[in-house]
Amino acid sequence: FFQKTLAAVKSWFTLFGWPKGQNPISIPHSLRRDTCIVQQTVAQEKNFKRKVDKDKGFYEMFRHLNGQPIPGISACQSLSPHPVERMFQLYWQHSELLSFLKSQGACLSHVMPEFLLTPEDYEIWTEDFTPEVRRGSMRSSGKLSSRPIFVLENSAFETMSKRAWTDVLLQMYKVFVLPRVSSHAFPDPLSLESLQNMPGIKSEPLCSNIYSRYERAILIWLNKNFEKNRQIVWKDSQRGGIPPMRWIVNFDQDLLDGLVLAAQMASYCPYLIPTHFIKMYTDPRTQEQFLHNSLIVVKALHAISLDMGIKV
């Protein structure tokens, strides 16, 4: 599941995350590289800057999606040539990134700044502490907060770093991209209840500690279209008749059988109903039936050229 999530994140940010066309990324390697590679800018001076192509560094991507940079961090951040000082600068930079995202509503309390460092900088970070600091005392310089320090082995750190950068990108999508969905495009959630007495999904900001109001707007859209179209799409079903009413409250279990996704596509491409969707199982019970439905959804996406490399 994580590998599929990672592939989807890489695909989206490669295609749509940049101001000037596509730019392939790797997680976490290119993201870590773009925040810490340095070059000497003036031979006679010890002044270093990140060596990243214009418009292709991580913070340029961040600025493109957010519309403005993180306060205090520029796309060409000057870094110290001294390894330890550079590591602390990067640690501070990652701390500011996480703090800014969390202030915008991102759920990143589990991601620590050190997980965003390169393995080399992480090794310096773990070696630079005295035993007293490892027990959670405050570093005298004040650059690090007081908290327990977890030292990971190399392989464990790579796994944690990959997960941390993936979560950062997912939360960037959540707080910068999803809010562009206009609430005016969706009816009042109460109109869903009037449709079939189905419980509504509230759109108030504080009514859920799992989904943002923008994610709940998508759930409202899924519910409305499925209830509106299930009797239209599968009235001539070849495999089970009209599917029963359902209340869609999440993006994983409730979408597994492909029926909800098919109902959304049918809203905009009704010509796919007789060629694809009537062949779906409307009450799938086995793994084979779930796979059958998924294959039909993927074929429908291919038919309208929205496959984006999707594979089952």
Side-chain angles (χ1 to χ4, degrees):
F1 172 79
F2 177 69
Q3 290 300 326
K4 292 178 180 178
T5 302
L6 181 68
V9 171
K10 288 170 59 176
S11 176
W12 193 92
F13 279 88
T14 292
L15 294 172
F16 307 113
W18 305 91
K20 295 183 179 180
Q22 302 178 15
N23 181 39
I25 68 169
S26 61
I27 303 174
H29 307 292
S30 70
L31 302 176
R32 295 188 308 207
R33 182 188 66 231
D34 288 351
T35 57
C36 69
I37 291 183
V38 298
Q39 67 175 349
Q40 189 168 348
T41 56
V42 183
Q44 60 271 31
E45 296 180 4
K46 293 182 179 180
N47 180 32
F48 284 65
K49 289 188 177 181
R50 294 192 303 109
K51 184 179 181 181
V52 180
D53 291 341
K54 184 175 176 56
D55 298 323
K56 291 192 176 181
F58 171 79
Y59 285 101
E60 282 297 331
M61 178 177 71
F62 186 98
R63 181 170 185 160
H64 170 64
L65 295 174
N66 183 39
Q68 58 184 353
I70 300 174
I73 298 180
S74 65
C76 291
Q77 187 76 24
S78 295
L79 297 174
S80 169
H82 190 276
V84 175
E85 287 301 316
R86 186 183 71 244
M87 181 274 295
F88 279 122
Q89 284 181 266
L90 290 169
Y91 183 95
W92 169 83
Q93 189 170 295
H94 296 328
S95 298
E96 292 298 304
L97 166 67
L98 295 173
S99 296
F100 182 82
L101 288 173
K102 286 187 279 190
S103 73
Q104 302 300 306
C107 298
L108 289 169
S109 58
H110 62 293
V111 176
M112 302 301 162
E114 57 267 29
F115 298 155
L116 304 180
L117 296 169
T118 64
E120 296 77 17
D121 285 329
Y122 180 75
E123 184 176 356
I124 296 173
W125 184 83
T126 58
E127 292 175 351
D128 191 61
F129 294 98
T130 63
E132 289 76 18
V133 175
R134 280 202 168 94
R135 287 195 291 267
S137 64
M138 179 74 76
R139 184 178 172 81
S140 60
S141 66
K143 291 182 179 178
L144 298 178
S145 60
S146 175
R147 60 175 176 80
I149 298 165
F150 302 97
V151 180
L152 303 175
E153 298 294 332
N154 289 341
S155 60
F157 171 75
E158 279 298 312
T159 300
M160 183 66 75
S161 183
K162 181 182 293 186
R163 181 60 182 265
W165 276 107
T166 301
D167 288 346
V168 165
L169 292 180
L170 283 170
Q171 293 300 310
M172 284 173 57
Y173 182 89
K174 172 183 172 180
V175 300
F176 297 149
V177 180
L178 280 184
R180 299 175 190 172
V181 179
S182 173
S183 59
H184 298 295
F186 300 95
D188 189 306
L190 294 178
S191 66
L192 191 62
E193 295 181 2
S194 65
L195 193 62
Q196 282 287 351
N197 264 344
M198 183 182 293
I201 296 176
K202 297 181 180 179
S203 58
E204 288 79 7
L206 300 180
C207 73
S208 172
N209 63 351
I210 298 177
Y211 294 129
S212 69
R213 60 177 178 171
Y214 310 108
E215 292 167 306
R216 294 197 300 278
I218 294 176
L219 288 174
I220 292 171
W221 173 67
L222 292 173
N223 275 283
K224 178 178 182 296
N225 277 337
F226 181 76
E227 184 56 30
K228 176 183 176 183
N229 292 315
R230 66 185 177 90
Q231 299 188 50
I232 299 173
V233 177
W234 291 286
K235 66 178 181 179
D236 299 318
S237 171
Q238 301 174 357
R239 301 178 185 269
I242 296 173
M245 180 193 305
R246 68 171 67 179
W247 190 26
I248 304 156
V249 295
N250 57 59
F251 295 101
D252 44 18
Q253 293 296 321
D254 291 342
L255 305 185
L256 281 179
D257 60 11
L259 296 174
V260 175
L261 295 176
Q264 314 314 307
M265 295 174 64
S267 297
Y268 304 96
C269 305
Y271 54 84
L272 293 173
I273 296 174
T275 59
H276 293 75
F277 300 143
I278 64 170
K279 303 174 185 177
M280 298 176 72
Y281 289 97
T282 56
D283 188 21
R285 301 294 180 89
T286 67
Q287 292 296 321
E288 290 78 8
Q289 292 174 346
F290 276 81
L291 176 60
H292 172 88
N293 284 0
S294 299
L295 288 170
I296 288 178
V297 170
V298 171
K299 288 179 180 178
L301 290 169
H302 280 281
I304 58 176
S305 300
L306 279 179
D307 55 296
M308 289 178 59
I310 295 174
K311 298 180 180 179
V312 176

